[in-house]
Amino acid sequence: MNYRDYIWDLGGTLLDNYEISTQAFVDTLKTFGKQASHDEVHSKLKESTDAAIARFIPDQPQFLKAYKEKEAELLESPILFPGAREVLQAIVADGGRNFLVSHRNKLVLDILKKTQLLPYFTEVVTSESGFARKPNPESMLYLKKKYDIKDALVIGDRDIDRQAGQAAGFDTLLVDGTKSLMEIVK
């Protein structure tokens, strides 16, 4: 491993959640009497949940709550990307530290417990931690200061992860789920 510290995103990086999120979004749209194609929703969700809502159902303030409930129900059986557990284990075995920064709420902790990944993280930052959302680097700067992080690799699947990591002074790596994380993070 080339770094001591790794700051991870969860969805789309360690957790293969976009299919689940897309299904939940499309299903929830139907309950509101709207329709959209799987591919269109998937593409907008890769930008952000806010972008998808703005595109498909901007006039229903209660949609987000219903969508998040449906998504949480479907995430009862989370699926990890290949190599996720192994790379986290290898980092810890090599004396390194893993951190997680997610826009999700405390559901993140439930997902990490279900997948048995929680013990591999030094700290998990969720939306309930009170920091500004990425690409704002506030959460990463907090970790940098608290843990005296000199250099780290920020790993995510969206440009906002890269922007936040670079603004905090860290190296960054974007993944797309096509290769095992063990192949990518050496």
Side-chain angles (χ1 to χ4, degrees):
M1 302 293 155
N2 295 328
Y3 298 84
R4 178 170 185 253
D5 297 309
Y6 295 80
I7 301 173
W8 297 87
D9 175 57
L10 181 62
T13 305
L14 295 169
L15 179 69
D16 189 359
N17 68 303
Y18 280 112
E19 283 304 315
I20 290 171
S21 297
T22 301
Q23 179 185 343
F25 198 98
V26 169
D27 290 350
T28 308
L29 278 175
K30 287 178 186 172
T31 67
F32 282 81
K34 306 259 184 178
Q35 286 190 313
S37 78
H38 170 278
D39 291 348
E40 287 179 305
V41 169
H42 188 272
S43 177
K44 279 296 177 187
L45 284 175
K46 287 284 279 183
E47 287 179 44
S48 71
T49 300
D50 289 342
I53 290 172
R55 166 69 177 85
F56 300 109
I57 191 159
D59 56 340
Q60 294 290 335
Q62 60 273 53
F63 177 83
L64 179 61
K65 182 177 187 281
Y67 161 62
K68 287 299 182 182
E69 287 172 358
K70 180 68 173 177
E71 184 186 43
E73 175 187 316
L74 295 176
L75 281 171
E76 285 293 319
S77 301
I79 300 169
L80 297 176
F81 277 112
R85 179 182 291 39
E86 294 79 9
V87 75
L88 295 171
Q89 287 173 333
I91 289 166
V92 171
D94 200 36
R97 300 181 292 191
N98 293 300
F99 301 92
L100 187 94
V101 174
S102 177
H103 288 156
R104 292 182 182 274
N105 63 14
K106 64 182 177 187
L107 175 63
V108 168
L109 299 174
D110 294 337
I111 291 169
L112 293 175
K113 287 175 187 170
K114 286 177 187 166
T115 56
Q116 300 175 348
L117 296 183
L118 189 58
Y120 300 111
F121 289 97
T122 302
E123 185 166 343
V124 176
V125 176
T126 70
S127 64
E128 294 167 340
S129 300
F131 298 109
R133 292 173 61 94
K134 295 177 276 186
N136 187 308
E138 186 179 26
S139 57
M140 294 184 193
L141 291 170
Y142 154 78
L143 292 170
K144 185 176 190 175
K145 182 177 180 182
K146 181 176 179 179
Y147 294 97
D148 193 30
I149 299 173
K150 301 296 185 218
D151 66 334
L153 182 62
V154 175
I155 305 166
D157 67 309
R158 297 188 295 168
D159 198 48
I160 61 172
D161 300 309
R162 182 193 58 75
Q163 291 171 9
Q166 287 179 345
F170 298 133
D171 290 339
T172 60
L173 175 67
L174 292 181
V175 298
D176 63 7
T178 59
K179 290 185 177 179
S180 165
L181 290 170
M182 279 301 285
E183 292 177 78
I184 297 168
V185 181
K186 297 180 172 68

